[in-house]
Amino acid sequence: MIEYIKNFFRVIWFSFIELYSLRRGSRKLKKWIKKNKREQDPNLHPFSKRWKYIYKKMRQFNRRAGIKIKVVGEENIPNGSAWVVPNHTSNLDGFYLIEALGAKLELTSVARSGVKQSKLTQGYFLGSDSFYLNRANIRESLTVLTQTAQYVKKNNRGVIIFPEGTRSFTTDLLEFKCGGFKFPQKYAIPILPITVLGTLQAKRFFRLKYREVKVIVHKPIKPIQHIKLPTDILCKNIGNTIKKELDKYEKNLSPKELKYFLKLKRKASIKQQKKDAKLNKEIEKSLEGATENKNDK
């Protein structure tokens, strides 16, 4: 009963205050970045200071959203640079990963260019020195990934990059974009596979109970283990490692939990179909535009 009362007030706080608090934090980080540029002194608000603030805000948000992060394999988190490759099932995957890894590993990320417009999270991406991909421009994307690998290697940081390239609403693992694995191979960066579980249930923010998101940190693949390995085989092996944990998670659910999980999955599949159709239209448009440009030339 006490837990329900606590969660009732937590939901009220989350509904009316937390999103404002998140946005305010985003504005604060943007001001720090602007001041660094204006004064031409990155030491005014250095990365370490910004990272501590981001880590604190992400943990705060997860707690007030009613989400508990359980980390399995915490000892596998490296101290230096890492190419972090998790499955991608929620807009909040970055929030979960920052809380799970952020105490040991400073992180940046590779995100789609559209997140620049979000007032809620824009400052957090800027504050963590994130890189932005334009998925319609392959050449530009390769340049961005090269810059990312050089940054990670130079600064001994981790980078979160989702090899699926987009979210899976149903939590089923989508096909990996294997080209992204060439960069840690080229720059000798350890690869850290991550499996994130429980995100489908975690989206129910207004339930009067806490939900658990499990983050499984697999053993890092050292450069000596992957540099000479064909990229497609490396990609397939990492995909199999993550898929194995996803399958195991579903099998270990109780009958009641499994029934609820499958119900959420059916609803999510409708969203997935709509998203896939929209993505296909965008690809068709970009191809048509490229063809028209060639014809004009």
Side-chain angles (χ1 to χ4, degrees), residues 135-137 281-291 293:
R135 290 182 290 193
N137 190 326
K281 283 182 180 178
E282 287 177 0
I283 292 170
E284 285 174 9
K285 281 183 180 179
S286 63
L287 289 172
E288 284 174 8
T291 307
N293 289 336

Side-chain angles (χ1 to χ4, degrees), residues 222-239:
K222 297 176 183 177
I224 197 169
Q225 296 172 301
H226 69 65
I227 281 177
K228 294 183 179 179
L229 201 63
T231 305
D232 58 337
I233 293 175
L234 172 65
C235 177
K236 185 179 179 181
N237 290 346
I238 292 171

Side-chain angles (χ1 to χ4, degrees), residues 267-280:
K267 288 181 178 179
S269 66
I270 298 168
K271 289 183 180 179
Q272 187 74 55
Q273 289 168 11
K274 289 179 180 178
K275 187 187 176 188
D276 290 343
K278 185 179 178 182
L279 188 62
N280 288 333

